[in-house]
Amino acid sequence: MPYDHRNTARRALALALAATGCCAVLTGCGASQASPSSGKAQETQRAQETQQAQGAESRPPLASAAPTPTRSPLPAAGGNGSLAGRTVVIDPGHNSGNFRHSTEINQKVDIGTTRKECDTTGTSTDAGYTEASFTLDVSHRLRDLLTARGAKVVLTHDADRPWGPCIDERARIGNAARADAVVSVHADGSAVGHRGFHVILPARVRGGSADTAAIVGPSRALGERIADRFARATGTSPANYLAGGTGLDVRDDLGGLNLSTVPKVFVECGNMRDPKDARLLTSSAWRQKAAQGIADGIATYLEG
């Protein structure tokens, strides 16, 4: 049979296509396999879901439908932003595990002027969204905003302990960090119709290990900045049920304030027991606004 160059070319092309096909198949098989990191992420997600389910079993009836807080990776501390060199301590109010540790959190601790329970469970919405879930979510968002501006951020806890910390320990964490500002994030549990936010400031207290003389003025300045920027960011008004509508409430019965030696305030972002406020507090978009308002207030205070 005569030698056919066309047949030879066709055979070479077929061999080349076959080799390319095998490579594609091999590449496809490799790409379809889950990477170790994605498997680990699935295991982490399953573990978180299990932990959340176990926590829901131990909560009061109202807490059964609580959505989980948004967890974000821990950003690198510090930077070249406007808050570089500054330290901010964020104190997420309560702890979801407190529901399962009533004995521990009911033990009384010294707050200088008296003794008070270590911690409480906090409140929740009618649908079961807990204050502890809310405060941790807002604290994560706040941490990220402040870190982006260059601040060093310390959390008093990150749901990494079964309960607490106690109110006296929360104060010590801020003191030990020599924080330029400490903000304790909360939501209120008042009556229906009571709406709006308020910032709690330390009163002039002296007794035992408590002496707030040095922080009353700076804490008020911090609180005023946060109240102003919180209203702007969220579009909400100061509480209509206390402090004469000023949004600034002075108290002498909170161990976290009494024992602080650095400027510190509590921010009650809204009332979880009011349906209208609850709709805001359970909105992810609104929680981001709340975190932005607090961050802006802290920044304006620290930047002078």
Side-chain angles (χ1 to χ4, degrees), residues 243-263:
T246 64
L248 300 172
D249 187 29
V250 179
R251 290 178 59 174
D252 62 3
D253 62 329
L254 299 176
L257 295 181
N258 288 2
L259 299 175
S260 182
T261 58
V262 293

Side-chain angles (χ1 to χ4, degrees), residues 52-282:
Q52 292 157 7
Q54 291 172 345
E57 292 174 358
S58 303
R59 293 174 186 158
L62 285 177
S64 59
T68 57
T70 300
R71 302 299 298 274
S72 54
L74 182 64
N80 297 319
S82 63
L83 300 183
R86 300 288 196 156
T87 298
V88 178
V89 171
I90 303 172
D91 179 27
H94 312 289
N95 182 326
S96 294
N98 285 358
F99 288 104
R100 298 183 293 276
H101 293 273
S102 58
T103 299
E104 291 87 348
I105 66 170
N106 284 329
Q107 292 181 1
K108 293 190 175 182
V109 298
D110 183 10
I111 67 167
T113 55
T114 186
R115 295 182 66 80
K116 199 169 183 179
E117 288 75 14
C118 157
D119 202 0
T120 67
T121 59
T123 187
S124 70
T125 66
D126 287 342
Y129 181 41
T130 64
E131 183 183 358
S133 296
F134 170 82
T135 64
L136 191 63
D137 180 84
V138 173
S139 294
H140 284 159
R141 296 170 188 270
L142 177 57
R143 174 199 65 194
D144 294 350
L145 291 167
L146 293 173
T147 303
R149 299 188 190 201
K152 175 185 177 182
V153 177
V154 177
L155 295 181
T156 59
H157 77 95
D158 197 8
D160 50 356
R161 52 192 297 166
W163 54 274
C166 294
I167 54 179
D168 58 337
E169 183 182 353
R170 291 172 187 263
R172 287 196 298 271
I173 291 170
N175 297 343
R178 297 183 180 180
D180 296 291
V182 183
V183 174
S184 189
V185 181
H186 287 265
D188 209 359
S190 189
V192 174
H194 289 180
R195 298 198 59 196
F197 70 89
H198 65 280
V199 181
I200 303 176
L201 313 176
R204 182 70 177 265
V205 171
R206 185 173 183 179
S209 55
D211 186 353
T212 61
I215 70 164
V216 168
S219 296
R220 173 169 282 275
L222 171 62
E224 289 173 345
R225 303 297 193 283
I226 291 176
D228 175 67
R229 295 310 175 100
F230 191 92
R232 294 189 196 185
T234 63
T236 56
S237 301
N240 61 8
Y241 58 96
L242 49 71
T246 64
L248 300 172
D249 187 29
V250 179
R251 290 178 59 174
D252 62 3
D253 62 329
L254 299 176
L257 295 181
N258 288 2
L259 299 175
S260 182
T261 58
V262 293
K264 182 174 182 177
V265 299
F266 281 43
V267 181
E268 298 280 0
C269 298
N271 177 19
M272 300 196 98
R273 308 303 296 167
D274 177 82
K276 293 180 180 179
D277 267 14
R279 280 195 290 273
L280 298 177
L281 296 168
T282 53

